[in-house]
Amino acid sequence: MMADDLDLAGLAGRHLDLITAPFTLPRSRVLVFGEGDGVRVHTSEYERRLSECRVLDLVEVLDADGAVLPVADVRPERIAFGAPRLATPAHEPGAGAETQRATLTFADPATLSIGGDPGLRVRLTRPDGRSEEHALGEGLRLRVAPDRSVTVESGDHRAALAATAHVWDDWFARCPRVRDDLQEMTAFCWWVLGANIVELPSLGDARAIVPSKIGYVGLWQWDAYFIAVGLRHGDPALAREQLDIAFRFPQPDGQLPDVVHEEGVLATSDDLPESDRANLRRAGSQIADPTAPVPLTKPPLAAWALRAVLEVEDAPDWARRQLATVVRSQDWWFAGSDLDHDGMPEYGHPYSSGLDDSPIFDGPLPTAAPDLGAYLVRQDRELADLLSRYEPGADASRFRERAEATQELLLRMWDPERGRFLAFGGGETLTSDTVVGLMPLLTGTLPEQIAGALRAAVDDPERFALPWGLPTVAASDPDFSEERMWRGPVWVNTAALVAEGLEASGFAERARQLREQTVALVIHGGGPHEYFHPRTGQKARTATIAFGWSAALFIDLAVTLSR
């Protein structure tokens, strides 16, 4: 393990390039990116692209001669402009002179502060093309209003630097300590989680860790589970808060919404933006009809996350409150999402799977999928264990009995000739060889022959054993694509789930190898991106940067591997 006085903020700062990781502050909606020798400023907003959220197209620091001081380095608490302060040899011209420096930080979540050496100025270029210059003086504050307008005023820059440093010092004090070779990326991933904290004003002072401040500004149910599992290792209270928000708005029938965001929830296809419904209609989807709303949720991993969070810090009263919501949600799957009434629930909409672009949704809906069956089996068993612990008077037998019945139905999805689990869309057999067929390992109770066949699939270089990890579609499948979302790239969450399934099914060493490969992928790829190219290990072309669940699960894997 590394020394307790390690500069974790400094380790994280090595990855703050203002391209794949913007400068921001926990709770802030302001994002700062590099732009030439200066920076540009955006806001982070629900269902709006970064290009729609321009605040300042360029912020440049000028010296007394009007020359632009470039960005010199970045730390979580500030951006520095100007060349590093290096001593000039005494025999050279300018001996003893120092390059002027300036810094940019936050005065509060909605306000940037900039200050520096005497004589410096700042030039601001607004989205309408207007430019203006201001002397820095004791410091300038750039206050960003909700309409993205900026007000310039004087302020105490030293105080702003100190306050922002305190925020990040407090955050990094909670960062988990792991193996030496994993500590730097763990620090960066911990920064990603802190950077992705936003406030949801409609929920008071609730702190949601969003998947990304770039494009995913809301609390997605599935993301909240994965984020809580990583966050628990350093801030279990904030991990519980993520589950609080995910569980706060169940529908009358118990269904949990897909997304909680600042304008409400996304719980049915009626709640989708019109642009999403139009895209579905253009694709000929039978579930795009706005007159026939379809529930939108995420896979049932709530009890899995609940159990994991409670492992590190017990909270019995909180656990009992959440269990009641999770039980109703689990019951909803069987009462409200068993659309063909055969006992096995289905996905009524691709969004509810979390893997919405998977080829298993190329056919008709609803879709009965082996991953959903596995999650339901696992969740009923988790619920039985949690109820026995926190509600000893409750009858947990119905959850165990339902898990057994669901597993019997799950085993009917096994195709012995193909040697894999299949999905079924609208009653039609779907032959795509995808990662969802590996998820039954999570039950830990598959027949030995079937578990062995899935282990062999994980090891097969023609299918899932690619150079940089577990693709979401087998490389031998005609639907495989190295770059397309959920059709080939490696995702940290599916890799982590399969690793857990391998361990649950008796393949502990293979699980460890997959975990090692997954953390190596994130380090090689330069950070916790949304998904990765399975052959190069680099960020896939359209993947989002600084992605929440990739960061959280890297931390969870790093902690597990460091024990």
Side-chain angles (χ1 to χ4, degrees):
M1 296 297 174
M2 303 188 82
D4 288 340
D5 60 353
L6 185 69
D7 180 11
L8 294 170
L11 289 180
R14 295 176 185 177
H15 298 268
L16 303 186
D17 59 2
L18 305 184
I19 300 170
T20 59
F23 181 70
T24 190
L25 183 74
R27 296 178 177 261
S28 178
R29 296 298 187 94
V30 177
L31 302 173
V32 181
F33 292 86
E35 185 67 34
D37 284 338
V39 298
R40 69 179 191 278
V41 183
H42 298 256
T43 52
S44 173
E45 302 177 30
Y46 178 67
E47 286 296 322
R48 288 187 181 274
R49 294 183 176 141
L50 203 61
S51 59
E52 300 176 78
C53 303
R54 293 159 57 197
V55 173
L56 291 168
D57 283 357
L58 191 58
V59 178
E60 298 168 295
V61 177
L62 311 176
D63 67 13
D65 297 324
V68 176
L69 299 184
V71 172
D73 65 271
V74 185
R75 285 181 55 95
E77 73 275 11
R78 57 99 182 110
I79 300 173
F81 300 85
R85 294 183 185 277
L86 299 174
T88 306
H91 63 275
E92 291 186 6
E98 290 185 329
T99 302
Q100 289 185 300
R101 299 260 294 187
T103 52
L104 182 144
T105 189
F106 278 85
D108 60 55
T111 308
L112 294 170
S113 176
I114 188 165
D117 293 336
L120 296 181
R121 301 177 64 80
V122 63
R123 180 163 61 207
L124 310 177
T125 303
R126 299 179 184 264
D128 61 7
R130 291 183 297 120
S131 291
E132 60 200 67
E133 293 186 15
H134 302 269
L136 289 185
E138 296 297 318
L140 288 179
R141 295 193 172 181
L142 313 177
R143 189 172 301 279
V144 181
D147 65 359
R148 301 184 215 107
S149 62
V150 177
T151 303
V152 182
E153 54 194 45
S154 60
D156 185 343
H157 185 61
R158 289 180 180 273
L161 281 169
T164 301
H166 178 74
V167 168
W168 283 114
D169 286 347
D170 183 60
W171 179 252
F172 280 107
R174 299 181 175 90
C175 179
R177 297 306 179 96
V178 296
R179 261 175 22 196
D180 287 7
D181 60 314
L182 301 177
Q183 189 66 71
E184 180 176 321
M185 185 54 68
T186 295
F188 178 48
C189 288
W190 193 249
W191 174 88
V192 169
L193 294 181
N196 281 337
I197 297 173
V198 303
E199 292 181 345
L200 299 176
S202 62
L203 304 184
D205 61 354
R207 299 170 297 168
I209 298 183
V210 301
S212 171
K213 284 183 179 176
I214 309 167
Y216 292 97
V217 187
L219 185 134
W220 272 255
Q221 184 194 145
W222 216 28
D223 298 70
Y225 300 156
F226 295 127
I227 287 169
V229 164
L231 191 61
R232 66 185 170 137
H233 296 296
D235 197 335
L238 189 54
R240 291 194 297 272
E241 189 168 348
Q242 304 316 294
L243 300 185
D244 274 334
I245 298 171
F247 299 157
R248 191 176 296 192
F249 300 102
Q251 301 302 287
D253 57 6
Q255 175 220 332
L256 290 172
D258 186 358
V259 189
V260 178
H261 55 84
E262 57 206 56
E263 299 172 13
V265 300
L266 178 64
T268 80
S269 53
D270 276 354
D271 300 326
L272 288 169
E274 173 54 31
S275 59
D276 281 20
R277 294 198 294 270
N279 287 339
L280 290 169
R281 284 193 291 272
R282 280 194 294 272
S285 172
Q286 61 185 345
I287 49 81
D289 181 2
T291 66
V294 178
L296 299 180
T297 185
K298 279 292 183 283
L301 286 171
W304 170 81
L306 188 63
R307 184 258 311 151
V309 169
L310 290 165
E311 281 178 350
V312 298
E313 185 174 277
D314 201 11
D317 292 339
W318 177 84
R320 283 187 281 271
R321 290 195 302 273
Q322 307 311 329
L323 270 171
T325 300
V326 178
V327 166
R328 291 188 67 229
S329 170
Q330 177 78 342
D331 288 344
W332 169 83
W333 278 100
F334 291 90
S337 204
D338 179 10
L339 302 172
D340 60 5
H341 309 292
D342 68 347
M344 174 64 81
E346 296 90 26
Y347 293 125
H349 191 294
Y351 286 6
S352 294
S353 75
L355 286 76
D356 40 276
D357 203 30
S358 172
I360 69 168
F361 299 110
D362 288 353
L365 292 164
T367 302
D371 63 327
L372 178 56
Y375 299 146
L376 290 167
V377 170
R378 180 69 177 259
Q379 177 138 290
D380 266 333
R381 289 175 179 161
E382 297 272 18
L383 283 172
D385 291 345
L386 288 166
L387 285 168
S388 296
R389 177 178 176 183
Y390 293 105
E391 298 280 6
D395 180 10
S397 62
R398 77 174 180 97
F399 300 99
R400 295 190 177 93
E401 291 167 1
R402 188 166 61 188
E404 294 303 313
T406 305
Q407 177 146 330
E408 286 300 314
L409 294 171
L410 173 62
L411 290 173
R412 294 180 192 175
M413 295 181 174
W414 177 255
D415 185 323
E417 292 184 6
R418 292 185 174 90
R420 62 178 184 260
F421 282 94
L422 300 178
F424 299 86
E428 298 180 8
T429 302
L430 305 171
T431 59
S432 295
D433 189 9
T434 75
V435 73
V436 304
L438 302 177
M439 292 305 170
L441 287 164
L442 282 165
T443 66
T445 51
L446 294 175
E448 184 177 346
Q449 184 177 3
I450 293 177
L454 296 185
R455 156 70 192 268
V458 172
D459 290 341
D460 186 347
E462 298 299 316
R463 294 176 68 191
F464 291 104
L466 294 194
W468 283 103
L470 198 75
T472 39
V473 172
S476 56
D477 192 279
D479 290 314
F480 173 76
S481 170
E482 294 169 335
E483 293 275 5
R484 186 172 169 185
M485 178 186 285
W486 295 123
R487 297 176 90 95
V490 178
W491 290 69
V492 175
N493 67 326
T494 51
L497 287 171
V498 171
E500 186 166 336
L502 287 166
E503 184 170 42
S505 297
F507 306 114
E509 177 56 23
R510 186 65 183 90
R512 186 195 65 77
Q513 292 169 3
L514 181 54
R515 288 170 175 141
E516 291 282 8
Q517 185 181 39
T518 304
V519 295
L521 167 70
V522 175
I523 293 170
H524 170 79
H529 309 307
E530 188 180 12
Y531 47 96
F532 298 79
H533 193 292
R535 299 196 191 279
T536 69
Q538 298 300 312
K539 183 183 88 70
R541 182 174 50 83
T542 56
T544 297
I545 56 177
F547 197 69
W549 83 32
S550 298
L553 291 175
F554 180 93
I555 293 167
D556 187 59
L557 293 171
V559 171
T560 299
L561 292 167
S562 300
R563 288 174 179 153

